[in-house]
Amino acid sequence: MPELLTVGNWKMNTTVPEAVALALSVRRDLVDKPVPDVGVVLCPPYLSLPSVSESMEGSPVMLGAQNAFYEPKGAFTGEISPAMLAGLCEFIIIGHSERRILLRESHRVINRKIKAVLESGIRPILCVGETLEQRRSGSAARVVARQIASGLNGVSDVRELVVAYEPVWAIGTGLAATPAVVIDIVKNAIRTQIHKMYGASMADGLPVLYGGSVNPDNVSEFLEDPSIHGTLVGGVSLIPDQFLKIVRLTSEIKG
Ligand code: PGA
């Protein structure tokens, strides 16, 4: 079975001291009551990564960045490269819908970022998901399959890849998708596309997360399906006891 992950995406929240305090509370709890079968990944803002990384040393908590640029260095004002993140984090979220929509990141940009992240030896978490309009018009599976195909265009090795299915209409709305919707897209868009591009064993071995208004009350219904290996948690990841409940439920249900 692919690895189990609970990923907390803090988005543009927390000052540096707040980030360290939040990460330390997660660390303390996981050291007191270890959950060895679930990988716990915190994704603070870039600015906090060095301090949080220092305060997580020697703990089971892993770190992720929320984005990275595709060039290693140069005249790209305001950008951060995967090379700069090496040593600070093990994962980088790429293609989050907030970046696709608000920052207008194209399929091509996301593809270049995925390649750059893989080249740096950090693991990409590729986010895919349709808008409400696309779902209503019946094109959800096609949209997600295209995001996978274009995001991975020219990528030969996906062993380090994680995919997060995050329907745009479920993010930050309090309206999570239903398990039936998630299972359908994971099977018929994500794994089918990976199967086409990389074969059956890659498709079966790919860790796939669900994200979109995940909380301790609704997480079990997603985790009960064998095709889901964890969650990408936004708002609730800022509330340590709720986030930790999700981590523990992941272990209880899937571990
Ligand atoms: P949410 O965000 O849990 O606040 O809906 C999820 C995400 O954007 O990754």
Side-chain angles (χ1 to χ4, degrees):
M1 188 177 68
E3 69 202 301
L4 305 175
L5 291 170
T6 305
V7 182
N9 174 11
W10 296 358
K11 308 192 180 184
M12 199 177 72
N13 294 292
T14 66
T15 61
V16 176
E18 285 167 353
V20 170
L22 181 53
L24 282 174
S25 60
V26 173
R27 172 185 177 144
R28 262 192 303 274
D29 190 89
L30 291 176
V31 168
D32 281 357
K33 292 164 276 169
V35 189
D37 46 7
V38 179
V40 178
V41 184
L42 304 179
C43 304
Y46 283 143
L47 192 59
S48 300
L49 266 174
S51 312
V52 171
S53 160
E54 221 172 276
S55 62
M56 292 301 101
E57 246 168 57
S59 90
V61 176
M62 295 184 279
L63 297 180
Q66 299 174 17
N67 177 40
F69 196 58
Y70 47 74
E71 293 289 354
K73 62 177 179 177
F76 305 102
T77 302
E79 295 297 333
I80 300 285
S81 70
M84 293 170 177
L85 295 165
L88 289 175
C89 63
E90 290 164 78
F91 293 87
I92 302 181
I93 297 172
I94 295 294
H96 191 281
S97 65
E98 284 150 17
R99 299 200 61 86
R100 289 181 192 262
I101 296 167
L102 299 171
L103 283 302
R104 308 242 194 287
E105 284 192 6
S106 64
H107 290 302
R108 188 173 140 71
V109 161
I110 290 163
N111 177 239
R112 292 183 74 180
K113 289 184 172 192
I114 290 283
K115 287 177 177 161
V117 171
L118 284 168
E119 267 162 33
S120 74
I122 303 178
R123 301 183 61 190
I125 301 175
L126 172 61
C127 296
V128 294
E130 80 287 359
T131 63
L132 190 55
E133 224 172 44
Q134 290 163 333
R135 171 147 295 274
R136 285 194 175 137
S137 69
S139 57
R142 195 162 43 77
V143 166
V144 172
R146 163 131 200 261
Q147 289 170 338
I148 295 283
S150 58
L152 299 177
N153 184 29
V155 173
S156 54
D157 185 347
V158 289
R159 279 174 299 181
E160 299 301 322
L161 177 73
V162 177
V163 169
Y165 172 52
E166 299 205 301
V168 178
W169 45 273
I171 295 177
T173 57
L175 286 172
T178 62
V181 160
V182 177
I183 292 160
D184 171 51
I185 293 291
V186 170
K187 179 169 180 284
N188 297 316
I190 298 174
R191 285 195 204 283
T192 303
Q193 189 59 41
I194 295 285
H195 186 286
K196 263 190 217 161
M197 296 170 79
Y198 301 99
S201 79
M202 281 299 157
D204 293 344
L206 176 77
V208 178
L209 314 179
Y210 167 70
S213 297
V214 171
N215 63 48
D217 297 327
N218 65 17
V219 72
S220 307
E221 53 186 11
F222 300 108
L223 296 173
E224 266 149 22
D225 191 83
S227 66
I228 313 290
H229 308 104
T231 47
L232 177 48
V233 186
V236 166
S237 69
L238 297 165
I239 312 165
D241 59 326
Q242 302 233 344
F243 179 71
L244 286 156
K245 263 190 207 161
I246 294 173
V247 173
R248 290 185 195 289
L249 282 166
T250 306
S251 167
E252 275 165 35
I253 295 168
K254 308 200 76 84

